[in-house]
Amino acid sequence: MWSIGELAEQAGVTVKTVRFYSDRGLLPETARSAGGHRRYGPEALDRLRLIRSLRTLDLPVPDVGRVLEREDALGDVLEDVVAGQLRELGPRLAALRWREAALHLLRDCAPEERPERLRLLGSVTAPPSTAAPARFWRSWLPARVPARLASAIVDTSIPQPPADPTPAQVLAFARLHALLAGIPHPGADYCQPAHHRPELGYDLGILYDGLTEAAALAAPALRARRSPHEGEALDCFVAAHARARGLRDTPDFRHRLSHQLAGDPYIGRYWELHAELSGHEPTLGAVHDWLRAALDSQAARTEGQLRCCP
């Protein structure tokens, strides 16, 4: 039988530690001396070592108690406790990585840039919430867009915070939030394309279904860094606009569509920041730019041919 001091010495811990776990029922004493002092058997040393191992994993004392209560099913209980700790640890680690990248961002910039960067960083959480861009895109899409399409467009248009961001990505996310804070209500003409206007009679379900298909067809060309060109993706893009208005895809329609799209408001800065955050994956904005450029090139060539051959 060991005294509390002898057990502490055997385990390499302090008497205070042994008393702490004893008082909480994690380390039962075997007996008491004639003077009322605690006595522990050899099994207490194994139990104390198990407690220390569990605490080394930063498990809270109540979770340690749960494991010790079910030593007959130690594996199952420990697996459950560890899984819960991992779920809690993930968000904390993500926040720490964002804070670390933000600190590098401030440390490594020129002194005159720090006030602005500090102001930008102060407006977002770590890691940042995607609520602001989600609100923007849900407001930007008219109620006439089918719910399934609206949900898919919103999901694709919102950049997800990287788990391990670079300082540049932290800055891009902060600038994205600042940009959205300065944009008027999405229902204003400032950022609404022509096809959202009810008087033009677009069937937005047909339009966005076709545009989604066109984007999927154009994406490989963007990944391969190919220049905008005619082909299946452009035909699908134009056909979506034509079908959505009940019109035929003709050279004249393509010419008029090119002019209409050129006059549409476009939030280019949003897509630039989105691209910084999403890496090499083409964004909807980049695909739209590519398809517009292909259409403009074709429309300009057709117009030139018509002028040469009256």
Side-chain angles (χ1 to χ4, degrees):
M1 299 295 256
W2 289 320
S3 69
I4 191 170
E6 290 168 337
L7 177 60
E9 184 178 356
Q10 289 286 334
V13 299
T14 65
V15 170
K16 184 179 179 180
T17 298
V18 177
R19 185 174 290 113
F20 175 84
Y21 293 131
S22 293
D23 290 345
R24 279 155 182 76
L26 301 182
L27 190 63
E29 60 199 52
T30 302
R32 289 266 178 166
S33 69
H37 299 294
R38 304 177 191 192
R39 290 290 183 265
Y40 300 91
E43 69 280 356
L45 181 59
D46 290 335
R47 192 175 179 93
L48 183 53
R49 284 172 173 163
L50 177 58
I51 293 171
R52 290 190 65 200
S53 296
L54 295 170
R55 290 293 288 150
T56 300
L57 298 173
D58 205 26
L59 294 185
V61 171
D63 284 341
V64 173
R66 285 178 55 204
V67 174
L68 295 175
E69 286 170 7
R70 295 289 309 279
E71 287 192 74
D72 58 321
L74 178 62
D76 293 339
V77 177
L78 186 58
E79 182 179 351
D80 179 51
V81 170
V82 169
Q85 285 294 298
L86 287 173
R87 285 193 297 271
E88 291 182 16
L89 196 58
R92 287 161 55 193
L93 286 174
L96 287 172
R97 292 190 188 105
W98 274 84
R99 283 174 55 192
E100 181 184 29
L103 290 170
H104 280 293
L105 183 68
L106 292 172
R107 184 195 66 182
D108 299 336
C109 71
E112 59 272 16
E113 293 179 311
R114 287 193 183 118
E116 181 195 2
R117 292 190 175 189
L118 194 58
R119 177 183 59 79
L120 288 169
L121 293 172
S123 65
V124 294
T125 58
S129 167
T130 57
R135 281 195 302 271
F136 171 80
W137 287 108
R138 289 195 185 99
S139 300
W140 185 82
L141 289 168
R144 294 177 291 132
V145 178
R148 63 174 180 82
L149 279 173
S151 184
I153 293 167
V154 170
D155 288 345
T156 308
S157 302
I158 300 173
Q160 294 304 308
D164 191 6
T166 64
Q169 288 175 319
V170 170
L171 183 60
F173 232 109
R175 285 176 170 162
L176 184 69
H177 275 255
L179 174 71
L180 292 176
I183 291 178
H185 187 276
D189 289 340
Y190 174 82
C191 57
Q192 285 287 319
H195 56 258
H196 282 184
R197 296 207 303 266
E199 64 269 20
L200 292 185
Y202 271 91
D203 185 319
L204 294 182
I206 292 176
L207 176 65
Y208 279 110
D209 258 331
L211 294 182
T212 300
E213 183 182 353
L217 292 170
L222 271 78
R223 293 191 190 99
R225 300 183 181 279
R226 296 180 62 192
S227 299
H229 57 269
E230 298 176 32
E232 186 180 9
L234 177 60
D235 291 344
C236 183
F237 178 73
V238 175
H241 282 274
R243 286 199 306 270
R245 294 190 65 185
L247 301 174
R248 293 176 54 243
D249 176 4
T250 65
D252 181 61
F253 177 80
R254 294 194 175 211
H255 183 74
R256 287 186 286 111
L257 179 61
S258 173
H259 281 282
Q260 175 193 315
L261 295 178
D264 274 346
Y266 181 62
I267 309 172
R269 183 57 176 155
Y270 179 94
W271 293 113
E272 289 173 9
L273 293 168
H274 190 304
E276 289 184 38
L277 291 160
S278 57
H280 301 295
E281 190 62 25
T283 65
L284 287 180
V287 170
H288 184 269
D289 272 355
W290 192 94
L291 290 166
R292 266 189 53 191
L295 177 63
D296 292 345
S297 176
Q298 184 187 58
R301 187 169 58 255
T302 301
E303 186 176 7
Q305 291 171 349
L306 290 174
R307 287 176 179 172
C308 292
C309 305

